[in-house]
């Protein structure tokens, strides 16, 4: 199932101001379109991988003899590592050079993909996925920087359209490619091919980058908030580890203490960010971002949406493959209706969303809730019988249409009141929040799902038990989308102008 974090939010980056003091100029970069092709290829690989993994996760788990917690870490670990280092990755490019950071990220992502592809133990796979998330956080932010610093302003729309098209293809093609490679068992590799295919493509991207990308960096580089990164990492791991691993370990006392300590460290992080911002305005997450109601409410709704989506497709994939025994490719083809739906309505929200924000978000959330409810009822009614793939694909298409209406409006709302000086930080915080919420959804709702399955025999439970548990847990997703609909009334009213595309991943 497609992971929404990049396909939905990165498709149409917004107009951004060039960073002051950039040493490169579009007039001095004749190979800018080739450079764009390089960063587009790298972003495509990341998006393709992210969207292919969920659909083959049950096959990976069976092959490695892994537990359900490993399956959760395979998804949540990537999202968590990406979120923690996304903002820092962009700033490192400004300081040490965007080409250098991009090539470092591509090289690391290629090696991490190889580790995932040859993993013989669950722990190795999880380590590889964490490394993929970290290196993607170094690599992906440089894509937007390349467009802003190497292209004339009147070329931005075309350049971002190329980048957005590649990400859209990755969203649709990821599950289908993952399912096809796994089903065909190319060279006897099975699911491993979805990772190993990144190796030759990554080497091509590295070679092209070395030849086509000039180095650029900011002449007034921002300071790194390493203490903030450390505190946020400790707080996130402290909370996330017990959420995912606690069930498998029987919830020992030390895990509960760890979760509490994580919450305390997060409070320390919030205070440290305030002090850092007042001192030199170099906080990882500037507190000034949250002075605006649009940012606070928009982020809250965004967190709910992405936590609901990520967990929905994890639960659905396990029901179809482990509960009903569907082949990977059939699952991939059905869930590919989701990004198709996003593509169908994204432009509508982009064009009309500025003047009808509450209506767009409410309508989109209702569509997602309706699609989730439709899926729930179809699974419940089928029980241990046959589930019609046409009905399921239609439900996913409806959900995708709802996501396409909702996401561009929310992203614009979050960023619209952010001061120009904090635009990069605001974009980074938004994308990090999307990744965090995806990881949290997988941890919380996914954990609830796997706990109920284990009570009935785990992977060997009967189809009827799978249907009962899946339908019950999908009710949580329906509730999340209905809550999103209710909160849409708190969003700022529309400003009556055309919706601007939004920068994400920067």
């Amino acid at each position: 199932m497609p992971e929404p974090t990049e396909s939905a939010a990165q498709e149409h980056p917004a107009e951004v101001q060039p960073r002051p003091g950039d040493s490169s100029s579009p007039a001095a970069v004749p190979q800018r379109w080739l450079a764009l092709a390089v960063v587009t290829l790298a972003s495509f690989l990341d998006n393709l991988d992210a969207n292919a993994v969920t659909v083959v996760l049950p096959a990976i788990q069976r092959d490695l003899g892994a537990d359900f917690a490993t399956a959760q870490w395979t998804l949540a670990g990537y999202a968590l590592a990406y979120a923690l280092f996304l903002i820092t990755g962009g700033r490192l490019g400004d300081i040490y050079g965007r080409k250098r950071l991009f090539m470092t990220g591509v090289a690391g992502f290629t090696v991490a993909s190889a580790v995932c592809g040859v993993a013989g133990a669950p722990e190795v796979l999880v380590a590889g996925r964490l490394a993929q998330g970290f290196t993607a956080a170094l690599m992906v932010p440089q894509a937007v920087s390349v467009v802003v610093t190497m292209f004339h302003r009147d070329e931005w729309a075309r350049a971002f359209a190329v980048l957005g098209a590649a990400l859209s293809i990755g969203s649709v093609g990821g599950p289908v490619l993952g399912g096809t490679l796994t089903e065909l068992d190319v060279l006897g590799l099975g699911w491993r091919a979805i990772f190993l295919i990144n190796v030759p493509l990554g080497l091509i991207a590295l070679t092209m980058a070395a030849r086509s990308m000039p180095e650029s960096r900011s002449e007034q580089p921002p300071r790194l908030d390493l203490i903030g990164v450390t505190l946020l990492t400790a707080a996130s791991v402290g909370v996330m580890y017990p959420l995912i691993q606690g069930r498998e370990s029987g919830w020992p006392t030390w895990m509960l203490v760890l979760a509490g300590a994580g919450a305390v460290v997060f409070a320390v992080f919030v205070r440290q960010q305030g002090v850092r911002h007042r001192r030199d305005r170099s906080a990882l997450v500037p507190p000034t971002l949250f002075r605006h109601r649009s940012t606070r409410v928009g982020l809250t709704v965004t967190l709910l949406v992405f936590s609901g989506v990520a967990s929905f497709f994890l639960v659905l994939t396990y029901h179809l493959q482990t509960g009903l025994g569907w082949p990977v490719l059939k699952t991939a083809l059905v869930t590919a209706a989701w990004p198709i739906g996003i593509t169908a309505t994204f432009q509508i929200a982009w064009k009309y969303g500025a003047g009808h924000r509450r209506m767009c978000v409410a309508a989109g959330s209702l569509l997602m809730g309706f699609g989730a409810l439709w899926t729930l009822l179809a699974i419940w009614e089928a029980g241990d019988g046959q589930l019609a793939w046409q009905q399921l694909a239609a439900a996913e298409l409806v959900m995708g249409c709802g996501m396409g209406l909702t996401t561009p409006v929310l992203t614009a709302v979050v960023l619209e009141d952010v001061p120009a000086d904090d635009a990069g930080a605001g974009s980074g915080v938004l994308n990090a929040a999307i990744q965090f919420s995806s990881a949290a959804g997988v941890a919380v709702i996914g954990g609830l799902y796997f706990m109920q399955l284990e009570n009935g025999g785990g992977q060997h439970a009967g189809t009827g038990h799978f249907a009962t548990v899946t339908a019950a847990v999908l009710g949580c997703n329906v509730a999340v989308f209905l809550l999103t609909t209710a909160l849409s009334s708190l969003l700022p009213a529309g400003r009556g102008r055309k919706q601007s595309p939004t920068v994400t991943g920067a």
Side-chain angles (χ1 to χ4, degrees):
M1 118 64 256
E3 195 172 303
T5 52
E6 297 190 40
S7 62
Q10 289 186 359
E11 234 172 279
H12 297 280
E15 238 183 319
V16 294
Q17 298 296 326
R19 292 177 175 86
D22 281 340
S23 57
S24 61
S25 162
V29 189
Q31 292 182 303
R32 58 190 180 277
W33 289 103
L34 183 57
L36 176 65
V38 176
V39 296
T40 298
L41 173 59
S43 299
F44 171 76
L45 287 179
D46 171 56
N47 204 33
L48 190 74
D49 229 35
N51 286 292
V53 169
T54 304
V55 79
V56 300
L57 198 52
I60 293 175
Q61 185 183 358
R62 288 193 301 270
D63 187 44
L64 295 181
D67 53 27
F68 286 128
T70 299
Q72 289 175 274
W73 277 117
T74 302
L75 294 182
Y78 171 89
L80 186 61
Y82 189 98
L84 288 172
F85 297 102
L86 180 62
I87 302 173
T88 301
R91 291 182 176 177
L92 285 172
D94 291 338
I95 297 171
Y96 297 107
R98 292 156 193 142
K99 177 179 179 178
R100 178 181 298 178
L101 260 292
F102 175 77
M103 293 186 67
T104 300
V106 172
F109 190 82
T110 302
V111 172
S113 297
V115 170
C116 292
V118 301
E123 297 79 8
V124 176
L125 176 65
V126 171
R129 287 290 286 167
L130 289 168
Q132 276 192 318
F134 169 69
T135 52
L138 302 180
M139 173 179 72
V140 174
Q142 315 314 323
V144 174
S145 295
V146 163
V147 175
V148 172
T149 60
M150 295 177 64
F151 284 80
H152 291 290
R153 194 179 187 88
D154 58 6
E155 294 176 319
W156 285 3
R158 281 184 293 161
F160 280 132
V162 171
L163 183 59
L167 293 173
S168 296
I169 294 171
S171 298
V172 178
V176 177
L177 179 63
T180 301
L181 290 175
T182 303
E183 285 290 309
L184 294 179
D185 195 22
V186 178
L187 300 178
L189 294 173
W191 58 267
R192 298 176 186 276
I194 69 172
F195 296 110
L196 294 177
I197 196 174
N198 292 338
V199 175
L201 293 177
L203 293 175
I204 291 173
L206 276 174
T207 302
M208 292 174 63
R211 295 180 177 180
S212 66
M213 288 181 66
E215 187 59 277
S216 68
R217 57 175 58 85
S218 175
E219 294 179 0
Q220 297 176 341
R223 295 183 180 181
L224 288 179
D225 184 8
L226 295 179
I227 295 177
V229 173
T230 301
L231 288 173
L232 185 58
T233 301
S236 301
V237 173
V239 172
M240 198 68 68
Y241 186 83
L243 284 176
I244 294 178
Q245 208 66 41
R247 185 192 70 258
E248 298 284 350
S249 304
W251 288 104
T253 302
W254 69 266
M255 276 201 182
L256 299 176
V257 173
L258 180 62
V264 172
V265 173
F266 182 76
V268 174
F269 166 76
V270 171
R271 180 172 178 80
Q272 181 265 344
Q273 291 295 282
V275 173
R276 179 96 183 195
H277 183 75
R278 288 190 297 272
R279 187 177 66 196
D280 57 15
R281 297 185 61 83
S282 64
L284 184 69
V285 182
T288 50
L289 294 177
F290 303 97
R291 290 177 181 173
H292 305 286
R293 175 168 160 263
S294 57
T295 302
R296 295 193 302 270
V297 178
L299 269 180
T300 300
V301 176
T302 301
L303 289 169
L304 286 171
V305 168
F306 282 92
S307 63
V309 168
S311 56
F312 174 88
F313 282 104
L314 173 67
V315 171
L316 179 62
T317 298
Y318 266 87
H319 179 76
L320 297 181
Q321 293 185 37
T322 307
L324 299 182
W326 281 23
V328 177
L329 183 56
K330 184 178 180 180
T331 304
L333 290 172
V334 167
T335 55
W338 157 264
I340 292 174
I342 292 176
T343 304
T345 58
F346 200 100
Q347 294 292 338
I348 297 174
W350 179 17
K351 187 173 183 180
Y352 300 108
H356 306 87
R357 293 174 179 171
R358 294 170 181 169
M359 185 174 68
C360 275
V361 175
S365 300
L366 277 176
L367 283 175
M368 286 190 284
F370 175 73
L373 180 61
W374 189 355
T375 304
L376 184 162
L377 294 175
I379 290 173
W380 177 266
E381 290 175 1
D384 55 4
Q386 293 295 319
L387 179 61
W389 69 266
Q390 299 93 334
Q391 187 177 15
L392 199 57
E396 308 325 306
L397 182 66
V398 169
M399 287 189 68
C401 288
M403 189 72 170
L405 286 175
T406 303
T407 305
V409 177
L410 285 176
T411 313
V413 167
V414 170
L415 296 177
E416 70 176 354
D417 291 323
V418 173
D421 290 344
D422 291 330
S427 177
V429 168
L430 171 62
N431 283 275
I434 289 172
Q435 298 290 343
F436 270 125
S437 60
S438 297
V442 168
V444 177
I445 297 182
L448 177 64
Y449 178 65
F450 291 138
M451 180 179 68
Q452 295 301 318
L453 281 184
E454 287 172 342
N455 290 339
Q459 299 183 63
H460 305 292
T463 304
H465 180 70
F466 260 96
T468 300
V469 172
T470 300
V473 174
L474 288 182
C476 298
N477 297 90
V478 174
V480 167
F481 296 132
L482 292 179
L483 178 58
T484 302
T485 304
L487 290 177
S488 66
S489 63
L490 301 178
L491 294 171
R495 295 186 176 178
R497 56 180 172 80
K498 184 177 177 180
Q499 181 81 16
S500 296
T502 34
V503 175
T504 57

